[in-house]
Amino acid sequence: MDPSANNERSVLAIDLGSGGPKVAVVSERGEILAHARGTVPTLFVDGGGAEQDPHDWWREVDHAVTAALSQPQVDRSRVVAVSCTGQWSVIAPVDAAGEPLTNAIHWMDSRGAPDTQALTDGLIKIDGYGLRRLLRWIQITGAVPTHAGADSLAHILYLKRARPDIYARTHKLLEPMDYLNLRLTGRFSASYATVFPYLLTDNRDVTRVDYHEGLLRLAGVDREKLPDLVPVDAVLGTLQPQIATDWQLPAKTQVVCGTTDNQTAALGAGSIDDAVGYISVGTTSWLSCHIPFKKCNLLRAIATMPSAIPGRNIVVAEQGAAGRCLEAVVERLLCADRNWSCESERISGYAQLFQEAAAVRPGCDGLLFLPWLNGSGPPAADGRVRGGFINQTLRTGRAEAVRSVMEGIAFNLGWLLPHVETFVGRRLNSLRLVGGAAESDLWCQIFADILDRPIHRIASPRLATVRGAALHALTSLGIRRREEIASLVPISGAFEPNPDNRKTYQELSSAFVKCYKRMRGLFALLNAGERPV
């Protein structure tokens, strides 16, 4: 439908993910009018480092925005707002002019692990944390600095210790979506939502989040190097004139404050009411829902963070690599000799592999894939655990390997599900599914069978985060009411658990967890000299 035909307004939504940006123009009815994407490389460096160049971020965002806005179904004059989301626990140090001083430190970077381990030390320990500091952090923030060094606080402390020249010259330390908003508006800001991984804010009242002076002193982080905070529904202002001119957008186009992909995926999944669960399986995987309180379970690595909805909290239970595992197995091992020269060939290649995997019996005759290629996350986080195939035989072929990876990622989420339900205090009777994995009917059915819950696939599941970012803007501007969000998110398919597969998957789910428990010590021995990832 031509949006100009009925003067329908739209939002330009930008999701800066780990692999690069996804951009979409979304109507006020939640319809994806046009979309485009870009690719950003990750540089892995010695000592557990992982970095991305913010110049790459902006270049690819600019290209993708131009491509999306140039599609004939888009009326640029009807774009009323820009809304950014994306990966988080990624720190970009910038100077007073907003120029990056070095590469951004990525969430996969572990070089700050010694710093957070020292910061949270103490005489009386629980799970490696000093008791007094552990309780203090949980009480104030709802979480605790990770010993794997994966959060923004660890990255900041690493910069201060290892790159004091960069730290001294830094004007502000920004998350990716806040860096984009700086480019769009000239404002150095962060929202109550995007500041969470700094682990330096008082989140006890999610309507009035602010930096906590005691935690700042304890961590030794300078307040003036941190962005000013705004509420999650704040409007930062209009596009800078040159950006509006370059993108041919109205000068009055508003820029809404940023959110993380966890928070916007919830909106894009229609998971608005408390305990309406959803899972996201893309590069990474997580299981989440809104809840009305702040809580933390250190043992299971499950916590809450401020939501994109004012006054609400959302569950944080991200497991790490998921789709990235399938890419690693397929593109580095099974099909390393294939030359997929464009995205359409790559999609076609994966479709063929999924078709082959569908012919394999559920359970792959006992072949298990452990998806902890970048360490394990909740419900049993350990940065030194690794993954791979277990119980492979001479009969194992490509189809079995592909299906086993798909099942392994589902087993991991199945292991997490009861712990999230205990955390929330409610059974999640069905689960909404977003992310690239949802485009496969086979994978959707595997999730339903292994999690033993009906799976409701969201339409255009790869674009759930950009749809969510657009819905965030529409509600922040008062164009839509938050109670309407779920009705603006269509469900494209429903998958019921197949009882014929239940016994097989119950047995393999049990074996999956036993593999972790029995092999954790071996992984620690094998990776003793390696920093947790």
Side-chain angles (χ1 to χ4, degrees):
M1 178 183 292
D2 181 358
S4 63
N6 60 359
N7 291 324
E8 185 176 50
R9 293 161 291 188
S10 59
V11 173
L12 174 64
I14 302 169
D15 172 17
L16 180 54
S18 295
K22 291 192 292 285
V23 170
V25 181
V26 183
S27 78
E28 63 182 271
R29 291 176 292 111
E31 180 186 3
I32 306 292
L33 301 176
H35 60 91
R37 61 177 299 172
T39 302
V40 172
T42 302
L43 174 66
F44 294 96
V45 298
D46 292 342
E51 301 175 352
Q52 289 186 338
D53 186 345
H55 295 100
D56 291 340
W57 291 347
W58 182 251
R59 182 191 67 249
E60 292 299 307
V61 164
D62 184 47
H63 290 170
V65 166
T66 300
L69 291 175
S70 298
Q71 295 177 34
Q73 60 271 37
V74 173
D75 181 351
R76 298 181 196 229
S77 70
R78 304 303 300 165
V79 175
V80 297
V82 181
S83 182
C84 297
T85 185
Q87 58 180 328
W88 48 293
S89 284
V90 181
I91 283 294
V94 300
D95 63 19
E99 286 298 314
L101 295 170
T102 187
N103 285 342
I105 303 178
H106 198 260
W107 58 265
M108 287 189 283
D109 194 298
S110 63
R111 291 175 292 181
D115 303 291
T116 50
Q117 289 168 11
L119 177 63
T120 57
D121 199 7
L123 292 177
I124 303 174
K125 292 183 173 62
I126 295 179
D127 202 26
Y129 289 88
L131 179 59
R132 291 183 61 185
R133 294 191 174 186
L134 169 67
L135 295 177
R136 185 169 175 78
W137 244 287
I138 290 176
Q139 178 193 25
I140 296 169
T141 71
V144 65
T146 66
H147 281 174
D151 51 63
S152 295
L153 177 57
H155 305 331
I156 294 169
L157 296 178
Y158 164 76
L159 272 179
K160 187 176 181 182
R161 168 178 58 82
R163 300 296 305 275
D165 55 326
I166 296 296
Y167 184 82
R169 293 164 53 201
T170 294
H171 177 62
K172 297 295 180 184
L173 297 150
L174 299 176
E175 289 280 335
M177 66 295 290
D178 296 324
Y179 172 79
L180 293 182
N181 278 343
L182 168 64
R183 296 293 300 259
L184 296 174
T185 67
R187 286 189 62 176
F188 296 90
S189 65
S191 73
Y192 296 172
T194 60
V195 76
F196 175 79
Y198 293 62
L199 295 172
L200 295 171
T201 51
D202 188 338
N203 301 321
R204 286 173 287 190
D205 180 354
V206 292
T207 65
R208 299 179 60 186
V209 173
D210 201 357
Y211 296 108
H212 189 274
E213 291 296 331
L215 294 183
L216 289 170
R217 287 194 302 271
L218 188 58
V221 175
D222 299 291
R223 166 63 184 88
E224 62 268 20
K225 296 186 183 297
L226 303 177
D228 292 333
L229 301 182
V230 297
V232 294
D233 57 349
V235 177
L236 299 179
T238 57
L239 282 176
Q240 296 211 70
Q242 188 60 55
I243 301 295
T245 299
D246 291 345
W247 290 352
Q248 300 175 43
L249 292 176
K252 61 182 180 180
T253 302
Q254 302 288 305
V255 178
V256 178
C257 72
T259 51
T260 72
D261 55 9
N262 183 302
Q263 295 150 340
T264 48
L267 304 187
S271 177
I272 303 303
D273 294 334
D274 290 338
V276 175
Y278 81 96
I279 54 177
S280 175
V281 184
T283 301
T284 60
S285 65
W286 65 81
L287 195 163
S288 185
C289 66
H290 282 95
I291 59 175
F293 47 80
K294 179 176 75 70
K295 188 176 180 180
C296 178
N297 183 333
L298 177 67
L299 180 63
R300 297 301 177 186
I302 303 172
T304 57
M305 66 192 297
S307 165
I309 299 176
R312 303 279 293 284
N313 287 280
I314 193 167
V315 173
V316 182
E318 188 161 354
Q319 293 188 305
R324 182 67 63 87
C325 294
L326 185 63
E327 291 176 0
V329 170
V330 169
E331 298 179 30
R332 297 184 187 179
L333 299 177
L334 301 178
C335 301
D337 58 339
R338 292 195 182 182
N339 181 23
W340 289 326
S341 58
C342 63
E343 184 64 16
S344 61
E345 288 185 7
R346 187 169 181 266
I347 292 172
S348 178
Y350 272 90
Q352 175 62 36
L353 292 172
F354 291 158
Q355 185 177 348
E356 295 173 9
V360 177
R361 288 187 299 180
C364 303
D365 291 327
L367 179 67
L368 278 176
F369 178 78
L370 311 181
W372 311 307
L373 303 188
N374 197 47
S376 65
D382 189 332
R384 288 193 170 91
V385 168
R386 295 292 180 268
F389 293 100
I390 297 291
N391 206 34
Q392 182 175 346
T393 73
L394 293 174
R395 299 186 303 276
T396 300
R398 185 173 70 184
E400 288 81 8
V402 170
R403 182 172 184 125
S404 180
V405 174
M406 299 167 79
E407 290 179 343
I409 293 165
F411 285 135
N412 211 30
L413 284 164
W415 184 18
L416 175 62
L417 175 59
H419 297 290
V420 170
E421 290 179 327
T422 298
F423 185 87
V424 173
R426 301 247 311 260
R427 175 184 166 88
L428 306 182
N429 292 319
S430 64
L431 293 165
R432 296 169 175 238
L433 176 61
V434 299
E439 293 187 341
S440 164
D441 285 357
L442 171 62
W443 217 340
C444 290
Q445 189 61 53
I446 287 172
F447 286 126
D449 291 346
I450 290 178
L451 276 67
D452 196 28
R453 298 288 189 280
I455 296 294
H456 297 157
R457 175 171 59 197
I458 300 304
S460 303
R462 285 186 185 270
L463 301 175
T465 48
V466 282
R467 178 185 271 126
L471 294 172
H472 172 61
L474 291 167
T475 55
S476 296
L477 293 172
I479 296 172
R480 285 291 192 181
R481 292 179 291 109
R482 290 187 176 86
E483 309 87 74
E484 297 179 294
I485 289 178
S487 67
L488 300 174
V489 178
I491 293 173
S492 64
F495 299 81
E496 294 290 332
N498 184 344
D500 293 339
N501 298 332
R502 189 62 192 144
K503 183 175 185 296
T504 296
Y505 281 138
Q506 280 181 326
E507 292 173 350
L508 288 176
S509 293
S510 177
F512 180 89
V513 176
K514 288 178 180 177
C515 281
Y516 176 89
K517 293 178 178 178
R518 295 180 182 181
M519 297 179 67
R520 187 178 183 182
L522 177 59
F523 284 128
L525 177 65
L526 291 172
N527 302 309
E530 183 178 343
R531 283 182 184 167
V533 292

